[in-house]
Amino acid sequence: MIKTRLLLCCLLLSTTAFSQQRYEPNWSSIDSRPVPAWFEDAKFGIFIHWGVFSVPAWAPTDASVYEKYAEWYWWRLLDPKAQTYQNFNDYHNRTYGKDFKYQDFVKGFTCEMFEPKAWAEVLKGSGAKYVVLTSKHHEGFTLWPSAQAWNWNAVDVGPHRDLAGDLSKAVKEAGLRMGYYYSLYEWFNPLYKSDVKKYVDEHMMPQMKDLVTRYEPDIFWTDGEWEHPSETWKSTEFLAWLYNESPVKNEVVVNDRWGKETRSVHGGIYTTEYDLVHDQGSAGKKIEHPWEECRGIGGSFGYNRNEDLSHYSSSKELIRILVDKVARGGNLLLNIGPTADGRIPVIMQQRLHDMGQWLGVNGEAIYGTRAWSKSPAITKETKVFFTQKGKDLYVICTSFPDKAIVVNDVKKPSKVALLGFRGSVSTSGSGKGLTINPPQVTPANNPCDHAWVFKLENAL
């Protein structure tokens, strides 16, 4: 009883100290705020790109990475410098006619099949611990009734429904954390094009604060920062408000996209995208800061009707991606792109289901773990990954080993087990080296598909 009371007192003191810290509107102060611990423990989240761009839902599949993004449809139509400018215009003029304006697509953003509770079940079944929805992409269309987006939001036009609010309620009721993606800039907003300062003060700032106070998100994930430095966006002013005054000041997680100089330098978690290398890109590296990789199941974030099976990662590939990111100390934010009528495409549901099945067996090697400090360097050819939790080490094999596995720099474990397997696992060796002899696994006793995990208890 005494120990329990002491623990509760410590937790209360810790929470109080965290909440009493006051942050100033400068990067030195803002960067001193720790990333809330829940994020690094969660490891796996689902990104959702959904908006007016989900109506044309088209992009070429043979272009460079960024040019494959279907959510950039409007911009690609009007940017003659874009590599795919002609592709988009040829498709658009052939399909809709050259006089058909992008704004007219909103009539097709009907969302009549959107069932928030059903979505939440799919998302929870994936094993993800948090969700990040595009509240507003670069097109400026908001999925909530934003006063700053009059007649260009999902309540005034299109589905006539608070999509952000409905999904947030369902996701939180399912026990997951809910977050929002928010684009700082808007491609064709007249105020942004004419007076950035006025846009920030009268449009962006009140819009962001409304989103936070209305839905109390666990994550505020910004983007579209690259045209201006953070000073222009008044990013530190907003973050000081978020950390000091907002209803989510203690638990909210933010990313690093707050100005053209901030990625992998300032903010909260660092972000990579399709494993592209930024200042401290993730490819093959362990980043010494909380970080997250975002990517789609296919080549696009927004739903792309032009993609076929060959453009989608398999369940095996997605599980390897998750393992790779977690073994290097990061999280995976895996994107789905719903359709304009409000469905999660079946192929995406199937991939999420498979990941959930795998995590149901092997989740303890993912959730709450950290990168093993003595892990060998990770490359594209790596087949054996390591995570650790306390004194336990997890050895994750993306192919079932056909020979013994040698693990160096560990103590003799108190127990070695293959997660989900009822039989025993034999080992040999002493001192700092340990040899794991894989058991005989058959279709009848195989614990999972795609990747297998050996747990070494008290090996560190």
Side-chain angles (χ1 to χ4, degrees):
M1 180 63 74
I2 293 175
K3 288 183 177 179
T4 302
R5 288 177 179 172
L6 285 171
L7 178 59
L8 287 172
C9 286
C10 289
L11 289 172
L12 287 170
L13 285 170
S14 175
T15 302
T16 302
F18 191 82
S19 61
Q20 287 179 345
Q21 171 71 49
R22 186 152 191 92
Y23 297 94
E24 300 301 323
N26 60 71
W27 282 122
S28 178
S29 180
I30 295 299
D31 290 343
S32 71
R33 179 183 183 265
V35 172
W38 73 260
F39 179 82
E40 284 195 274
D41 290 339
K43 295 303 178 192
F44 181 37
I46 301 297
F47 215 179
I48 304 174
H49 273 62
W50 198 29
V52 175
F53 50 80
S54 304
V55 180
W58 188 92
T61 58
D62 57 353
S64 61
V65 175
Y66 288 132
E67 302 274 345
K68 294 179 182 178
Y69 293 175
E71 65 276 14
W72 279 66
Y73 190 97
W74 195 3
W75 180 264
R76 301 295 182 224
L77 278 179
L78 301 178
D79 178 19
K81 296 180 182 179
Q83 176 192 23
T84 52
Y85 170 77
Q86 197 62 50
N87 304 69
F88 276 90
N89 277 273
D90 287 348
Y91 171 79
H92 183 85
N93 295 341
R94 181 175 69 249
T95 307
Y96 305 104
K98 63 181 181 179
D99 295 326
F100 189 94
K101 303 301 183 184
Y102 181 85
Q103 295 91 321
D104 295 329
F105 282 126
V106 75
K107 297 174 183 177
F109 190 52
T110 53
C111 310
E112 74 273 14
M113 297 187 73
F114 172 49
E115 295 291 344
K117 289 186 178 180
W119 277 33
E121 289 177 6
V122 171
L123 301 175
K124 185 173 184 178
S126 73
K129 299 300 183 183
Y130 58 98
V131 177
V132 179
L133 171 70
T134 49
S135 67
K136 182 195 77 170
H137 200 258
H138 312 321
E139 64 185 12
F141 185 87
T142 68
L143 300 193
W144 87 98
S146 168
Q148 290 74 36
W150 178 82
N151 214 39
W152 193 234
N153 69 71
V155 175
D156 289 349
V157 292
H160 298 287
R161 183 173 178 181
D162 182 359
L163 303 175
D166 289 351
L167 184 61
S168 179
K169 182 182 180 204
V171 164
K172 289 181 178 181
E173 287 178 350
L176 305 181
R177 291 185 179 265
M178 182 69 195
Y180 293 110
Y181 164 110
Y182 178 89
S183 174
L184 299 181
Y185 88 143
E186 298 177 16
W187 288 320
F188 306 114
N189 185 309
L191 185 59
Y192 175 71
K193 303 299 287 185
S194 63
D195 190 336
V196 174
K197 183 180 184 302
K198 196 171 183 180
Y199 168 87
V200 170
D201 291 339
E202 299 181 9
H203 182 88
M204 188 193 83
M205 278 292 187
Q207 196 171 58
M208 290 197 297
K209 289 183 177 181
D210 176 49
L211 187 60
V212 171
T213 54
R214 188 187 292 255
Y215 303 116
E216 300 188 5
D218 297 294
I219 300 172
F220 201 83
W221 209 102
T222 48
D223 192 29
E225 82 291 355
W226 47 79
E227 287 196 347
H228 302 284
S230 59
E231 183 178 4
T232 299
W233 295 120
K234 296 188 176 179
S235 296
T236 56
E237 291 183 27
F238 173 77
L239 289 169
W241 171 83
L242 188 69
Y243 293 167
N244 295 326
E245 310 296 337
S246 81
V248 294
K249 59 185 179 182
N250 293 333
E251 288 287 287
V252 71
V253 171
V254 303
N255 66 352
D256 58 349
R257 303 184 181 195
W258 294 99
K260 63 181 182 180
E261 84 284 13
T262 64
R263 288 202 194 188
S264 296
V265 178
H266 295 302
I269 62 170
Y270 293 170
T271 55
T272 60
E273 188 169 319
Y274 277 91
D275 236 350
L276 299 180
V277 178
H278 297 300
D279 293 335
Q280 295 181 24
S282 71
K285 297 181 180 179
K286 177 186 172 186
I287 301 174
E288 299 295 341
H289 185 89
W291 67 281
E292 174 186 76
E293 158 81 354
C294 67
R295 63 182 299 124
I297 296 176
S300 174
F301 285 100
Y303 179 53
N304 185 1
R305 293 179 295 135
N306 201 29
E307 291 181 334
D308 58 31
L309 183 61
S310 68
H311 299 114
Y312 283 83
S313 298
S314 66
S315 298
K316 179 179 181 180
E317 289 169 335
L318 292 173
I319 289 168
R320 188 194 187 281
I321 289 169
L322 173 63
V323 169
D324 173 85
K325 307 311 170 197
V326 174
R328 288 192 276 115
N331 286 26
L332 174 64
L333 184 62
L334 183 66
N335 182 80
I336 59 172
T339 60
D341 60 7
R343 293 172 294 117
I344 300 175
V346 173
I347 188 171
M348 298 183 187
Q349 293 188 43
Q350 187 270 332
R351 297 296 193 260
L352 297 185
H353 171 80
D354 285 358
M355 296 190 79
Q357 291 288 101
W358 185 83
L359 284 163
V361 175
N362 302 292
E364 70 170 278
I366 300 295
Y367 307 126
T369 64
R370 299 293 185 267
W372 184 34
S373 60
K374 296 182 179 179
S375 170
I378 296 173
T379 69
K380 290 182 179 181
E381 288 71 40
T382 297
K383 294 183 179 180
V384 180
F385 297 83
F386 300 90
T387 61
Q388 72 173 88
K389 187 187 298 178
K391 295 183 178 180
D392 298 336
L393 182 68
Y394 297 92
V395 184
I396 309 174
C397 305
T398 53
S399 297
F400 194 83
D402 54 8
K403 59 183 179 181
I405 304 168
V406 178
V407 182
N408 296 314
D409 297 313
V410 294
K411 300 186 297 185
K412 184 177 181 180
S414 58
K415 181 181 178 181
V416 177
L418 175 62
L419 296 186
F421 182 70
R422 293 184 179 180
S424 60
V425 177
S426 67
T427 62
S428 59
S430 59
K432 292 187 177 180
L434 178 76
T435 298
I436 304 171
N437 301 306
Q440 292 294 318
V441 171
T442 69
N445 64 8
N446 188 9
C448 63
D449 297 322
H450 311 308
W452 294 261
V453 180
F454 294 94
K455 179 180 181 181
L456 281 57
E457 294 186 16
N458 298 308
L460 301 176

